Amino acid sequence: MPVDDPMMGGQSRRLAVLRAIVEDYVATEEPVGSKALVERHQLGVSPATVRNDMAALEDEGYIHQPHTSAGRVPTDKGYRLFVDKLSTLKPMSAAERRAIATLLDGAVDLDDVVQRSVRLLSQLTHQVAIVQYPTLSRSTVRHIELVPITPTRLMVILILSTGRVEQRLVELGHEAGEDELAALRVRINQAASGVRIADAATALSTLRDDVPHEVAGLTDEVVAVVTEAMSDHRSDERVAVGGAANLARYGDSFDSAVRPLLEALEEHVVLLRLLGEATTGGGVTVRIGHEGPYSELASTSVVATGYGPSHEAVAALGVVGPTRMDYPGSMAAVRAVARYVSRILDES
Amino acid sequence: MPVDDPMMGGQSRRLAVLRAIVEDYVATEEPVGSKALVERHQLGVSPATVRNDMAALEDEGYIHQPHTSAGRVPTDKGYRLFVDKLSTLKPMSAAERRAIATLLDGAVDLDDVVQRSVRLLSQLTHQVAIVQYPTLSRSTVRHIELVPITPTRLMVILILSTGRVEQRLVELGHEAGEDELAALRVRINQAASGVRIADAATALSTLRDDVPHEVAGLTDEVVAVVTEAMSDHRSDERVAVGGAANLARYGDSFDSAVRPLLEALEEHVVLLRLLGEATTGGGVTVRIGHEGPYSELASTSVVATGYGPSHEAVAALGVVGPTRMDYPGSMAAVRAVARYVSRILDES
DNA sequence: GCTTGGCACTCCCGGGTGCGGAGTGCCAGC
DNA sequence: GCTGGCACTCCGCACCCGGGAGTGCCAAGC
């Protein structure tokens, strides 16, 4: 058994101390000392004993002392242990449940669902919230519509199972008759409707051989633009951000923490990387400080999870905040919102 | 002639002093004194003379002294005079022109144009940029498409001249045949295509009397949802925001300035009010500090203008920043971007 | 009459100092 | 292994002080 295994026999009080330190530090934002700790928690021992435990915890790297004769502050490793072993998800209050339900049920379309989720999540957690739009790649094609704008211009509209709509304008090399379009509309929908985006491209590519000779050119042009729209990664990268005003609560360490985060919030690619692998795996993912991919964001944590219809995660949502954040509360909020959003996607 | 008319004969040097104060203060962010002023500008007089002018300017309310024996800082009134009478638009450099052209020309659709404009504007001005999506109300209907999803469910797609696409799902009370839909599709487009949104509702309302009896119910349902989609103000309120990271440059006065602004950036209604009447009138609108509608934003200014195809302003764009900002540069950038975006909208 | 140099005055700002308090580590005793 | 006591460390805050920048005023000059 490794020497720094925190679950080692007889160390349960040590862990209680760590838990208390994390909770107090999150609440007060100030290094917590042994005396304050025994006053605020029922540890049943004296400050001196707590000090011994603290010294041990510090040796093991779970807490840290800003300077001699100061209180202790959890390290990233300490938060990690707290999240993994010491915390239980804070149940949502009835009021919070109601807020989630009433706010999200009023959404009229996918865009609205995402916007409301972001707002809700930031209000529940008092953190910056990030919601990724459902990705194209896992959704299916619901319908493809061809709309003539002028005789040589065609608007191709791609409707997906998630409710997303992609539109592309096609300049045709020649005029296209209404009959040809109608025929193509039927064929193309027969081939692609209900098919996953990932498979639709191949389904469409075989289409050319089946259509009447005279619309082959038209078919090629339309199929090309549909394929391009489906593979267009720009649409996979859409995210909504909300609650940036909560950054004002950072108080201390402005330049070192808020500026990089503000910059990150504008770079949606960065945000997607922050959400990271949250899409895979069922539970809520927590990335603490340096565990994330960006060294500038070493003092921020990400709590995220996947969501999507039919228990299939097609996108991720979560919150970003200081490492010193309320993990149980954030995790519970993220999970609750993800579940509710997933259910809404199921229904529509 | 009113006693505080700044253009009063023989006061040209006073105005030169005010201009110098504004320019120096914007550049250095520090109260500017008489000595530094004569060193950095060719005023041709001694510090003592400048001090007399400063005293007069202060009496008239154009500048202000944070405390005795400190330099002077422009007041909102001072900035106002500077913007109205003392500044000339800073011409865009060749590099900046090129940046605008190359960045915006790569845009693939309306969404992309707006996104790129926001980014561009914030980069050019180092301020927070706001771009309103073209409003529905002044644009025209290009096409209305009816797509059956299931026999009793219909997707109505509204394509506007600005490139915007609105979609609505309709639950029909009964099944609708392909033939009925085709007929309705033709009729509804005859009635609405090319018509301004504002007039389309009335045009559609007369439609019911013209259609065959058996599709009257269907027509009603579809017309209702189209009308609702067109009048839906939610779509008028869409704005894009960018460059929030520039807020990190605020340095001083964090709570008093950055927090309310961060909050405002999340409230799109507030942003639209900030852009205010910029849509009307040709030129660039400047709102300085307390001139705006929100007292919490008393230390921020807004530089905005309208834009739209055919020299018709259908939306506004602009930047928000501290009252202490580079007005000539911001105004030039806002105007240049608005012109370029308008031209793009013309072409498409 | 405007401009100018001189001069006394005001006030911010930064560095240095001293002190109280919170917290620790260690040790001896239970 | 826990506990109370004790000496020690170091931060944070208040206070003080001097330098410097800037002003307002005044008398003299163009």
Side-chain angles (χ1 to χ4, degrees):
Chain A
M1 195 174 265
V3 76
D4 67 343
D5 183 336
M7 300 306 278
M8 198 166 161
Q11 301 201 352
S12 62
R13 196 195 53 231
R14 281 245 258 278
L15 296 182
V17 168
L18 177 57
R19 178 197 283 122
I21 290 175
V22 170
E23 287 173 0
D24 274 22
Y25 183 62
V26 166
T28 65
E29 304 193 17
E30 273 170 16
V32 12
S34 54
K35 193 175 156 206
L37 216 53
V38 295
E39 280 170 4
R40 301 182 36 140
H41 297 80
Q42 280 71 41
L43 293 172
V45 291
S46 75
T49 310
V50 170
R51 281 206 286 280
N52 289 333
D53 291 336
M54 283 172 143
L57 286 169
E58 182 154 23
D59 283 345
E60 290 161 5
Y62 295 113
I63 57 178
H64 166 248
Q65 215 172 1
H67 51 82
T68 338
S69 86
R72 300 312 213 289
V73 165
T75 59
D76 287 356
K77 189 179 173 188
Y79 285 122
R80 167 54 56 198
L81 183 59
F82 175 80
V83 167
D84 288 346
K85 304 264 173 69
L86 303 178
S87 65
T88 49
L89 281 154
K90 210 178 280 178
M92 298 267 97
S93 73
E96 285 169 328
R97 283 178 191 286
R98 238 179 299 123
I100 295 176
T102 54
L103 204 74
L104 288 185
D105 280 340
V108 300
D109 61 14
L110 180 74
D111 247 46
D112 206 22
V113 169
V114 172
Q115 302 290 347
R116 284 165 185 253
S117 303
V118 157
R119 175 164 298 221
L120 180 61
L121 208 46
S122 66
Q123 285 173 355
L124 286 174
T125 61
H126 304 292
Q127 309 285 358
V128 178
I130 308 172
V131 177
Q132 181 186 9
Y133 280 76
T135 44
L136 292 174
S137 49
R138 304 203 184 188
S139 50
T140 61
V141 176
R142 181 178 280 165
H143 187 87
I144 295 172
E145 185 57 38
L146 311 176
V147 181
I149 303 291
T150 70
T152 64
R153 267 183 156 179
L154 196 61
M155 176 80 83
V156 178
I157 298 170
L158 181 63
I159 304 171
L160 303 173
S161 58
T162 53
R164 276 281 287 287
V165 175
E166 290 283 318
Q167 32 156 339
R168 289 291 186 282
L169 208 57
V170 193
E171 288 288 345
L172 302 175
H174 50 86
E175 296 203 1
E178 186 60 50
D179 295 346
E180 293 167 322
L181 283 183
L184 180 56
R185 184 182 294 128
V186 172
R187 300 255 182 181
I188 211 168
N189 276 293
Q190 279 175 348
S193 281
V195 177
R196 284 173 161 256
I197 288 275
D199 308 325
T202 48
L204 286 175
S205 66
T206 64
L207 196 63
R208 189 181 202 275
D209 307 328
D210 300 340
V211 297
H213 214 56
E214 55 273 26
V215 297
L218 179 62
T219 306
D220 282 350
E221 289 172 304
V222 172
V223 165
V225 78
V226 169
T227 311
E228 178 257 311
M230 290 189 305
S231 68
D232 191 347
H233 280 244
R234 216 170 53 78
S235 17
D236 283 2
E237 290 167 0
R238 284 187 69 198
V239 290
V241 175
N246 292 322
L247 289 179
R249 304 235 164 240
Y250 265 60
D252 60 341
S253 67
F254 181 66
D255 262 25
S256 61
V258 176
R259 186 197 302 255
L261 190 44
L262 269 176
E263 278 163 12
L265 292 182
E266 307 239 314
E267 295 296 334
H268 291 182
V269 188
V270 171
L271 293 184
L272 286 166
R273 235 184 119 192
L274 281 183
L275 290 179
E277 303 88 26
T279 322
T280 66
V284 175
T285 304
V286 180
R287 272 194 183 166
I288 297 164
H290 67 272
E291 296 173 4
Y294 298 101
S295 59
E296 310 84 41
L297 300 178
S299 59
T300 62
S301 290
V302 180
V303 176
T305 190
Y307 75 93
S310 329
H311 304 285
E312 184 187 12
V314 297
L317 58 77
V319 299
V320 183
T323 48
R324 176 212 344 107
M325 74 183 273
D326 171 16
Y327 291 98
S330 300
M331 290 168 76
V334 164
R335 194 180 62 174
V337 172
R339 284 190 179 166
Y340 212 94
V341 172
S342 296
R343 204 190 310 164
I344 288 178
L345 292 182
D346 263 339
E347 288 164 4
S348 63
Chain B
M1 196 175 266
V3 76
D4 67 343
D5 182 337
M7 299 306 280
M8 196 168 163
Q11 300 199 353
S12 63
R13 196 194 54 231
R14 283 242 261 276
L15 297 183
V17 169
L18 177 57
R19 178 196 283 121
I21 290 174
V22 171
E23 287 173 359
D24 273 22
Y25 182 62
V26 166
T28 65
E29 303 192 19
E30 274 171 14
V32 10
S34 54
K35 193 174 156 206
L37 216 53
V38 295
E39 280 170 3
R40 299 180 38 137
H41 296 79
Q42 280 71 41
L43 293 172
V45 290
S46 76
T49 310
V50 170
R51 279 206 288 280
N52 290 332
D53 292 335
M54 282 172 143
L57 285 169
E58 182 154 24
D59 282 346
E60 291 160 5
Y62 294 113
I63 57 179
H64 166 249
Q65 214 172 2
H67 51 82
T68 340
S69 88
R72 299 312 212 290
V73 166
T75 61
D76 287 357
K77 188 179 174 189
Y79 285 122
R80 168 52 59 198
L81 183 61
F82 175 80
V83 167
D84 288 346
K85 303 265 173 71
L86 303 178
S87 65
T88 49
L89 284 176
K90 210 178 278 179
M92 298 265 98
S93 73
E96 285 170 327
R97 283 179 190 286
R98 236 179 300 123
I100 295 175
T102 54
L103 204 73
L104 288 185
D105 280 340
V108 301
D109 60 15
L110 180 74
D111 247 47
D112 206 22
V113 169
V114 171
Q115 301 290 346
R116 284 168 185 250
S117 302
V118 157
R119 176 164 295 221
L120 179 61
L121 208 46
S122 66
Q123 285 174 353
L124 286 175
T125 61
H126 304 292
Q127 310 283 358
V128 178
I130 308 172
V131 177
Q132 180 186 10
Y133 281 75
T135 44
L136 292 173
S137 51
R138 304 205 183 188
S139 50
T140 61
V141 175
R142 183 177 280 164
H143 188 86
I144 295 171
E145 185 58 34
L146 312 176
V147 182
I149 303 291
T150 70
T152 64
R153 266 183 155 178
L154 196 61
M155 174 81 84
V156 178
I157 298 170
L158 182 62
I159 303 170
L160 302 173
S161 58
T162 54
R164 276 279 286 288
V165 175
E166 290 283 317
Q167 31 155 340
R168 288 290 185 284
L169 208 56
V170 192
E171 289 287 346
L172 302 175
H174 49 88
E175 296 204 1
E178 184 61 49
D179 295 347
E180 293 166 324
L181 282 183
L184 181 57
R185 184 184 293 128
V186 172
R187 300 257 183 180
I188 210 169
N189 276 292
Q190 278 174 351
S193 281
V195 177
R196 282 170 162 259
I197 288 275
D199 308 326
T202 49
L204 286 176
S205 65
T206 64
L207 196 63
R208 187 179 203 276
D209 309 325
D210 302 340
V211 297
H213 213 57
E214 56 271 26
V215 298
L218 178 62
T219 306
D220 282 349
E221 290 172 304
V222 172
V223 165
V225 78
V226 168
T227 310
E228 179 258 311
M230 290 190 304
S231 68
D232 190 347
H233 280 244
R234 216 170 53 77
S235 18
D236 284 3
E237 289 166 0
R238 286 188 65 200
V239 289
V241 175
N246 292 323
L247 289 179
R249 303 236 164 239
Y250 265 60
D252 58 343
S253 68
F254 181 65
D255 261 24
S256 62
V258 176
R259 185 198 303 253
L261 190 45
L262 270 176
E263 278 163 11
L265 292 182
E266 307 237 316
E267 294 297 333
H268 290 183
V269 188
V270 171
L271 293 184
L272 287 167
R273 234 184 119 193
L274 281 183
L275 291 179
E277 303 88 28
T279 322
T280 66
V284 175
T285 303
V286 180
R287 271 193 183 166
I288 297 164
H290 67 273
E291 297 173 3
Y294 297 101
S295 60
E296 310 84 42
L297 300 178
S299 59
T300 62
S301 290
V302 181
V303 176
T305 190
Y307 75 92
S310 328
H311 303 284
E312 186 187 11
V314 297
L317 58 78
V319 299
V320 183
T323 48
R324 173 208 353 99
M325 73 182 274
D326 172 16
Y327 291 97
S330 299
M331 291 168 77
V334 165
R335 193 179 63 173
V337 172
R339 284 190 179 167
Y340 212 94
V341 173
S342 296
R343 205 191 310 165
I344 288 177
L345 292 182
D346 264 339
E347 289 164 4
S348 65

Coordinates of all heavy atoms in Angstrom, one line a residue, chain A residues 186-243:
Chain A
V186 N -36.9 14.7 -53.9 CA -37.4 13.4 -53.4 C -36.2 12.4 -53.3 O -36.1 11.8 -52.3 CB -38.4 12.9 -54.4 CG1 -38.8 11.4 -54.1 CG2 -39.7 13.7 -54.4
R187 N -35.4 12.3 -54.3 CA -34.3 11.4 -54.3 C -33.4 11.6 -53.1 O -32.9 10.7 -52.4 CB -33.5 11.5 -55.6 CG -34.3 11.3 -56.8 CD -34.0 9.9 -57.4 NE -34.8 9.6 -58.6 CZ -34.7 8.5 -59.3 NH1 -33.9 7.6 -58.8 NH2 -35.4 8.3 -60.3
I188 N -33.0 12.9 -53.0 CA -32.0 13.2 -52.1 C -32.5 12.9 -50.6 O -31.7 12.5 -49.8 CB -31.5 14.7 -52.2 CG1 -30.1 14.8 -51.9 CG2 -32.4 15.6 -51.5 CD1 -29.5 16.2 -52.3
N189 N -33.8 13.1 -50.4 CA -34.3 12.9 -49.1 C -34.5 11.4 -48.8 O -34.3 10.9 -47.7 CB -35.6 13.6 -48.9 CG -35.4 15.0 -48.4 OD1 -35.0 15.3 -47.3 ND2 -35.7 16.0 -49.3
Q190 N -34.8 10.7 -49.9 CA -34.9 9.2 -49.8 C -33.5 8.7 -49.3 O -33.4 7.8 -48.5 CB -35.2 8.5 -51.1 CG -36.7 8.6 -51.4 CD -37.1 8.0 -52.7 OE1 -36.2 7.9 -53.6 NE2 -38.4 7.8 -53.0
A191 N -32.5 9.3 -49.9 CA -31.1 8.8 -49.6 C -30.6 9.2 -48.2 O -29.9 8.4 -47.5 CB -30.1 9.3 -50.7
A192 N -31.0 10.4 -47.8 CA -30.3 10.9 -46.6 C -31.2 11.0 -45.4 O -30.7 11.0 -44.3 CB -29.8 12.3 -46.9
S193 N -32.5 11.1 -45.5 CA -33.3 11.3 -44.4 C -33.2 10.2 -43.3 O -33.2 9.0 -43.7 CB -34.8 11.3 -44.8 OG -35.1 12.6 -45.3
G194 N -33.0 10.6 -42.1 CA -32.9 9.6 -41.0 C -31.5 9.0 -40.9 O -31.2 8.2 -40.0
V195 N -30.6 9.4 -41.8 CA -29.2 8.8 -41.8 C -28.4 9.7 -41.0 O -28.5 11.0 -40.9 CB -28.7 8.8 -43.3 CG1 -27.3 8.3 -43.3 CG2 -29.6 7.8 -44.1
R196 N -27.4 9.1 -40.3 CA -26.5 9.9 -39.5 C -25.6 10.8 -40.4 O -25.2 10.3 -41.5 CB -25.6 9.0 -38.7 CG -26.2 8.4 -37.5 CD -25.3 7.3 -36.9 NE -25.7 7.0 -35.6 CZ -25.1 7.5 -34.5 NH1 -24.0 8.3 -34.6 NH2 -25.5 7.3 -33.3
I197 N -25.3 11.9 -39.9 CA -24.4 12.8 -40.6 C -23.2 12.1 -41.1 O -22.8 12.2 -42.3 CB -24.0 14.0 -39.7 CG1 -25.2 14.9 -39.5 CG2 -22.9 14.8 -40.4 CD1 -25.4 15.9 -40.5
A198 N -22.6 11.3 -40.3 CA -21.4 10.7 -40.6 C -21.5 9.7 -41.8 O -20.6 9.6 -42.6 CB -20.8 9.9 -39.4
D199 N -22.7 9.1 -41.9 CA -22.9 8.2 -43.0 C -23.6 8.8 -44.2 O -23.6 8.2 -45.3 CB -23.8 7.0 -42.5 CG -23.3 6.4 -41.2 OD1 -22.0 6.4 -41.1 OD2 -24.1 6.0 -40.4
A200 N -24.2 10.0 -44.0 CA -24.9 10.6 -45.1 C -24.1 10.9 -46.3 O -24.5 10.8 -47.5 CB -25.6 11.9 -44.6
A201 N -22.9 11.3 -46.1 CA -22.0 11.6 -47.2 C -21.8 10.5 -48.2 O -22.0 10.6 -49.4 CB -20.6 12.1 -46.7
T202 N -21.6 9.3 -47.6 CA -21.5 8.1 -48.5 C -22.8 7.8 -49.1 O -22.8 7.4 -50.3 CB -20.9 6.9 -47.7 OG1 -21.7 6.8 -46.5 CG2 -19.5 7.1 -47.3
A203 N -23.9 7.9 -48.4 CA -25.2 7.6 -49.0 C -25.4 8.5 -50.2 O -26.0 8.0 -51.2 CB -26.3 7.8 -47.9
L204 N -25.1 9.7 -50.0 CA -25.3 10.7 -51.1 C -24.4 10.5 -52.3 O -24.8 10.7 -53.4 CB -25.2 12.1 -50.6 CG -26.3 12.6 -49.7 CD1 -25.9 14.0 -49.1 CD2 -27.6 12.7 -50.4
S205 N -23.2 10.0 -52.0 CA -22.3 9.9 -53.1 C -22.7 8.8 -54.1 O -22.3 8.8 -55.3 CB -20.9 9.6 -52.6 OG -20.9 8.3 -52.0
T206 N -23.5 7.9 -53.6 CA -24.0 6.8 -54.6 C -25.2 7.3 -55.4 O -25.6 6.6 -56.3 CB -24.4 5.6 -53.8 OG1 -25.5 5.9 -52.9 CG2 -23.3 5.0 -52.9
L207 N -25.7 8.4 -55.0 CA -26.9 8.9 -55.6 C -26.8 9.2 -57.1 O -27.7 8.9 -57.9 CB -27.4 10.2 -54.8 CG -28.8 10.7 -55.0 CD1 -29.8 9.7 -54.5 CD2 -29.0 12.0 -54.3
R208 N -25.7 9.7 -57.4 CA -25.4 10.1 -58.8 C -25.8 9.1 -59.8 O -26.3 9.3 -60.9 CB -24.0 10.6 -59.0 CG -23.7 11.3 -60.3 CD -22.2 11.6 -60.3 NE -21.9 12.7 -61.3 CZ -21.8 12.5 -62.6 NH1 -21.9 11.3 -63.1 NH2 -21.5 13.5 -63.4
D209 N -25.4 7.8 -59.5 CA -25.6 6.7 -60.5 C -27.1 6.4 -60.6 O -27.5 5.8 -61.6 CB -24.9 5.5 -60.0 CG -23.4 5.8 -59.7 OD1 -22.9 6.7 -60.4 OD2 -22.9 5.2 -58.8
D210 N -27.9 6.8 -59.6 CA -29.4 6.4 -59.7 C -30.2 7.4 -60.4 O -31.3 7.1 -60.8 CB -29.9 6.2 -58.2 CG -29.1 5.1 -57.5 OD1 -28.5 4.3 -58.2 OD2 -29.1 5.1 -56.3
V211 N -29.8 8.7 -60.4 CA -30.7 9.7 -60.9 C -30.7 9.7 -62.5 O -29.7 9.3 -63.1 CB -30.3 11.1 -60.4 CG1 -30.4 11.2 -58.9 CG2 -28.9 11.5 -60.9
P212 N -31.8 10.2 -63.0 CA -31.8 10.4 -64.5 C -30.6 11.2 -65.0 O -30.1 12.1 -64.3 CB -33.1 11.2 -64.7 CG -33.9 10.9 -63.5 CD -33.0 10.7 -62.4
H213 N -30.2 10.8 -66.2 CA -29.0 11.4 -66.8 C -29.0 12.9 -66.8 O -28.0 13.6 -66.5 CB -28.9 10.9 -68.2 CG -27.4 10.7 -68.6 ND1 -26.6 9.9 -67.9 CD2 -26.7 11.2 -69.6 CE1 -25.4 10.0 -68.4 NE2 -25.4 10.8 -69.5
E214 N -30.2 13.5 -67.1 CA -30.2 14.9 -67.4 C -30.0 15.8 -66.1 O -29.8 17.0 -66.2 CB -31.5 15.4 -68.1 CG -32.8 14.9 -67.4 CD -33.2 13.5 -67.8 OE1 -32.3 12.7 -68.2 OE2 -34.4 13.2 -67.7
V215 N -30.2 15.2 -64.9 CA -30.0 16.0 -63.7 C -28.7 15.6 -63.0 O -28.5 16.0 -61.8 CB -31.2 15.8 -62.7 CG1 -32.5 16.3 -63.3 CG2 -31.3 14.4 -62.3
A216 N -27.9 14.9 -63.6 CA -26.6 14.4 -63.0 C -25.8 15.6 -62.5 O -25.3 15.6 -61.4 CB -25.8 13.5 -63.9
G217 N -25.7 16.6 -63.4 CA -24.9 17.8 -63.1 C -25.4 18.5 -61.9 O -24.7 18.8 -60.9
L218 N -26.7 18.7 -61.9 CA -27.4 19.4 -60.8 C -27.2 18.6 -59.5 O -26.8 19.1 -58.4 CB -28.9 19.5 -61.1 CG -29.8 20.1 -60.0 CD1 -29.4 21.5 -59.8 CD2 -31.2 20.0 -60.5
T219 N -27.4 17.3 -59.6 CA -27.2 16.4 -58.4 C -25.8 16.6 -57.8 O -25.6 16.8 -56.6 CB -27.4 15.0 -58.8 OG1 -28.6 14.8 -59.4 CG2 -27.3 14.1 -57.6
D220 N -24.8 16.6 -58.7 CA -23.4 16.7 -58.3 C -23.2 18.0 -57.5 O -22.7 18.0 -56.4 CB -22.5 16.8 -59.5 CG -22.2 15.4 -60.0 OD1 -22.6 14.4 -59.3 OD2 -21.6 15.2 -61.1
E221 N -23.8 19.1 -58.0 CA -23.6 20.4 -57.4 C -24.2 20.4 -56.0 O -23.7 20.9 -55.0 CB -24.2 21.5 -58.3 CG -23.3 21.8 -59.5 CD -24.0 22.7 -60.5 OE1 -25.2 22.4 -60.9 OE2 -23.4 23.7 -60.8
V222 N -25.5 19.9 -55.9 CA -26.2 19.9 -54.7 C -25.5 19.0 -53.6 O -25.3 19.4 -52.5 CB -27.7 19.5 -54.9 CG1 -28.4 19.4 -53.5 CG2 -28.4 20.6 -55.7
V223 N -25.2 17.8 -54.1 CA -24.6 16.9 -53.2 C -23.3 17.4 -52.6 O -23.0 17.3 -51.4 CB -24.3 15.5 -53.9 CG1 -23.4 14.6 -53.1 CG2 -25.6 14.8 -54.1
A224 N -22.5 18.1 -53.5 CA -21.3 18.7 -53.0 C -21.5 19.7 -51.9 O -20.8 19.6 -50.9 CB -20.6 19.3 -54.2
V225 N -22.5 20.5 -52.1 CA -22.7 21.6 -51.1 C -23.2 21.0 -49.8 O -22.9 21.4 -48.7 CB -23.5 22.7 -51.6 CG1 -25.0 22.4 -51.6 CG2 -23.3 24.0 -50.8
V226 N -24.1 20.0 -49.9 CA -24.6 19.3 -48.7 C -23.5 18.6 -47.9 O -23.4 18.8 -46.7 CB -25.7 18.3 -49.1 CG1 -26.1 17.5 -47.9 CG2 -27.0 19.0 -49.6
T227 N -22.7 17.9 -48.7 CA -21.6 17.3 -48.0 C -20.7 18.2 -47.3 O -20.2 18.0 -46.2 CB -20.8 16.5 -49.1 OG1 -21.7 15.7 -49.9 CG2 -19.7 15.6 -48.4
E228 N -20.4 19.3 -48.0 CA -19.6 20.4 -47.4 C -20.2 20.9 -46.1 O -19.5 21.1 -45.1 CB -19.3 21.5 -48.5 CG -18.5 22.6 -47.9 CD -19.3 23.8 -47.6 OE1 -20.1 24.2 -48.5 OE2 -19.2 24.4 -46.5
A229 N -21.5 21.2 -46.2 CA -22.2 21.8 -45.0 C -22.1 20.8 -43.9 O -22.0 21.2 -42.7 CB -23.6 22.1 -45.4
M230 N -22.2 19.5 -44.2 CA -22.2 18.5 -43.1 C -20.9 18.4 -42.5 O -20.7 18.2 -41.3 CB -22.7 17.2 -43.6 CG -24.2 17.2 -43.9 SD -24.9 15.6 -44.3 CE -23.8 15.0 -45.6
S231 N -19.8 18.5 -43.3 CA -18.5 18.3 -42.7 C -17.9 19.6 -42.2 O -16.8 19.6 -41.7 CB -17.6 17.7 -43.8 OG -17.4 18.7 -44.8
D232 N -18.6 20.7 -42.4 CA -18.1 22.0 -42.0 C -17.9 22.0 -40.5 O -18.9 22.0 -39.7 CB -19.1 23.0 -42.4 CG -18.5 24.4 -42.3 OD1 -17.4 24.5 -41.6 OD2 -19.0 25.4 -42.8
H233 N -16.7 22.1 -40.1 CA -16.5 22.0 -38.7 C -16.8 23.3 -37.9 O -16.9 23.3 -36.7 CB -15.0 21.6 -38.4 CG -14.8 20.1 -38.6 ND1 -14.4 19.3 -37.5 CD2 -15.0 19.3 -39.6 CE1 -14.4 18.1 -38.0 NE2 -14.7 18.1 -39.2
R234 N -17.0 24.3 -38.7 CA -17.4 25.6 -38.0 C -18.6 25.4 -37.2 O -18.7 25.9 -36.1 CB -17.6 26.6 -39.1 CG -17.2 28.0 -38.7 CD -17.3 28.9 -39.9 NE -18.6 28.9 -40.5 CZ -19.7 29.5 -40.0 NH1 -19.7 30.2 -39.0 NH2 -20.9 29.4 -40.7
S235 N -19.5 24.6 -37.7 CA -20.7 24.4 -36.9 C -20.5 23.5 -35.7 O -21.3 23.6 -34.7 CB -21.8 23.7 -37.8 OG -21.2 23.2 -39.0
D236 N -19.5 22.7 -35.7 CA -19.2 21.8 -34.6 C -18.7 22.7 -33.4 O -18.6 22.2 -32.3 CB -18.2 20.7 -34.9 CG -18.9 19.6 -35.7 OD1 -20.1 19.8 -36.0 OD2 -18.2 18.7 -36.0
E237 N -18.2 23.8 -33.8 CA -17.4 24.6 -32.8 C -18.2 25.6 -32.1 O -17.7 26.4 -31.4 CB -16.2 25.2 -33.5 CG -15.2 24.2 -33.9 CD -14.2 24.9 -34.8 OE1 -14.3 26.1 -35.1 OE2 -13.2 24.2 -35.2
R238 N -19.5 25.6 -32.3 CA -20.3 26.7 -31.7 C -20.6 26.4 -30.2 O -20.9 25.4 -29.8 CB -21.7 26.8 -32.4 CG -21.5 27.5 -33.8 CD -22.9 27.7 -34.4 NE -23.7 28.7 -33.6 CZ -25.0 28.9 -33.7 NH1 -25.7 28.1 -34.5 NH2 -25.6 29.8 -33.0
V239 N -20.3 27.5 -29.5 CA -20.6 27.4 -28.0 C -21.2 28.7 -27.6 O -21.0 29.7 -28.2 CB -19.3 27.1 -27.2 CG1 -18.8 25.8 -27.4 CG2 -18.3 28.2 -27.5
A240 N -22.0 28.6 -26.5 CA -22.5 29.8 -25.9 C -21.9 30.0 -24.6 O -21.6 29.1 -23.9 CB -24.1 29.7 -25.8
V241 N -21.7 31.3 -24.2 CA -21.0 31.6 -23.0 C -21.9 32.6 -22.2 O -22.5 33.4 -22.8 CB -19.6 32.3 -23.2 CG1 -19.0 32.7 -21.9 CG2 -18.7 31.3 -24.0
G242 N -21.9 32.4 -20.9 CA -22.7 33.3 -20.1 C -22.2 33.4 -18.7 O -21.5 32.6 -18.2
G243 N -22.6 34.5 -18.1 CA -22.2 34.7 -16.7 C -20.8 35.3 -16.5 O -20.2 35.2 -15.4

